Amino acid sequence: MTELEPLSRIGSEDHPRTYEVRTFGCQMNVHDSERLSGLLENAGLSRKPEEQAEEVADVVVFNTCAVRENADNKLYGHLGLLKNLKAERPGMQIAVGGCLAQKDRDTIVKKAPWVDVVFGTHNIGSLPALLDRATHNKKAQLEILESLDVFPSTLPTRREAVYAGWVSISVGCNNTCTFCIVPSLRGKERDRRPGEILAEIQALVEDGAIEVTLLGQNVNSYGVEFGDRLAFGKLLRACGEIEGLERVRFTSPHPAAFTDDVIEAMAETPNVMPQLHMPLQSGSDKVLKDMRRSYRSKKFLGILDKVRERIPHAAITTDIIVGFPGETEEDFQATLDVVEASRFSSAFTFQYSKRPGTPAAELKEQLPKAVVQERYERLTQLQDRIAKEENAKQLGRTVEVMVTEQTGRKSAETHRLTGRAQDQRLVHFSVPDGAETPRPGDLATLPITEVAAFHLISDPSASQYSLRRSRAGDAWDRAQAESCGVPSPGAASSTGATNLGMPTLKVRS
């Protein structure tokens, strides 16, 4: 090409260029990937069809995470697999963005010179222009900004699930946890104005969504930037006024800033779901101090008591790190004690790994891998038992499940569909003979007939099963029609996955 051409003109009308976005890490990255997909489609590219799972798109974007110690090895492994393919396919492009790109910058281009674009967490909106520039200049383009150039929510979006949506209320974080590299990569907290957030939620609802998840590195510190420390509770209550919005979730709060007004807002706002993700990290006050987590175990447990007093059926989940530098057996036992007392419905459990650039990585008392592994296994064994005991309390309860596109590993054998209860528990359920089959986004009311540590099961009789077809199910039908995958009326998809509710991470329940 002799001049800069927009992405929409590269390729042909009959064969537009395809793209795929490969996402690693947390919900914020999943949400950013929806924006990246929207930007690329706005530039004229088409998403690689699901039936071409074994093929590689013309433009491959890696949205990376820097939280784990081996994040760079994972990225370079993927890039290495694409090196020869890219050499054989003129016009193919590879872009790397996200937290690892923000951290490693020009290291990526040095280690993988076949990469076309490297961009950071603050300028995801620049991706199409950078891809164009790389083509025009025949040279890798590196652009990393130190602060946000435009709030991501103003960018085009290609949502993963039409019946549910992520809504970012803030970006960045003002905390200084010694194990976490996120603040240095995402920057200081920036809050959106309530009116902008509510307008985006309203637009999602008008487009068919009946569930939203409010996102932030620390959602309950929302409002600090514009001087209203009660802003998050007010935002939850305002969500309750949006007609057609049936389910509101949020993640993640910080125990140090979690206040009673938020608990009251949760309890008094009907569409705020009885579910709370409250990161513990450690049950040892000494370790919490070393982590710079500005709360202690007594305060943490007090928050859970207050939540359960006001919302008795709330399901509470958490994050826990095992093997933080200097953690003794006594410290670890304190974590086990708090987990036993907390009765989490599920937990995201991690073995501590060094994050280069964090204070904890420089501590001398790094624990041997074997010690960390043994403690991790004890913790997961305990949490698995608790999760199954908590799930057993659901046996016989009647729950309302929002059907998702997600399917269980045994769905082909059991012919069960999958959904999420109001408290976010995963439910695999069968449809009685002769009953109408729901679409993703529809709501089924049914009894829990069997439980396991990681999910619930419902095999209802015809009299125990009721279905409410929803606007979200209608939106799913429309989306299928627009993608030329028109389903038979009332049919549920058995393919695809929804990014609904929880992070794309391995869960220990």
Side-chain angles (χ1 to χ4, degrees), residues 435-490:
E436 184 178 7
T437 300
R439 308 159 298 178
D442 285 340
L443 297 122
T445 300
L446 32 77
I448 300 303
T449 58
E450 188 178 340
V451 302
F454 303 99
H455 60 267
L456 306 175
I457 293 174
S458 177
D459 290 319
S461 64
S463 63
Q464 294 173 316
Y465 173 88
S466 66
L467 174 65
R468 178 159 62 91
R469 291 172 65 86
S470 71
R471 294 181 307 100
D474 296 341
W476 186 84
D477 271 347
R478 290 195 301 271
Q480 294 299 297
E482 290 169 2
S483 65
C484 301
V486 183
S488 58

Side-chain angles (χ1 to χ4, degrees), residues 244-270:
L245 179 60
E246 300 198 25
R247 296 186 172 197
V248 178
R249 306 186 191 277
F250 59 87
T251 192
S252 291
H254 192 293
F258 200 77
T259 50
D260 291 351
D261 67 292
V262 173
I263 298 174
E264 292 304 311
M266 292 175 64
E268 296 172 4
T269 309

Side-chain angles (χ1 to χ4, degrees), residues 293-369:
R293 300 285 289 179
S294 47
Y295 58 89
R296 299 296 177 258
S297 58
K298 182 177 180 180
K299 177 180 175 66
F300 183 91
L301 290 169
I303 291 171
L304 303 197
D305 287 342
K306 289 179 181 178
V307 170
R308 287 180 168 134
E309 181 181 352
R310 294 291 285 120
I311 313 168
H313 294 298
I316 300 176
T317 58
T318 197
D319 299 327
I320 303 172
I321 297 173
V322 177
F324 187 80
E327 178 190 79
T328 64
E329 178 61 28
E330 182 181 9
D331 293 325
F332 178 66
Q333 184 59 52
T335 294
L336 296 180
D337 292 342
V338 173
V339 169
E340 185 75 67
S342 297
R343 311 298 297 176
F344 299 118
S345 62
S346 67
F348 294 82
T349 53
F350 306 92
Q351 297 185 36
Y352 172 79
S353 63
K354 289 184 179 181
R355 281 77 158 180
T358 63
E362 305 303 319
L363 295 176
K364 295 180 180 179
E365 297 179 90
Q366 304 289 327
L367 272 61
K369 170 66 176 175

Side-chain angles (χ1 to χ4, degrees), residues 190-208:
R190 293 276 305 277
D191 294 334
R192 296 176 71 193
R193 290 288 172 174
E196 296 176 5
I197 297 168
L198 295 170
E200 181 179 352
I201 295 173
Q202 183 67 54
L204 288 173
V205 171
E206 290 174 358
D207 198 38

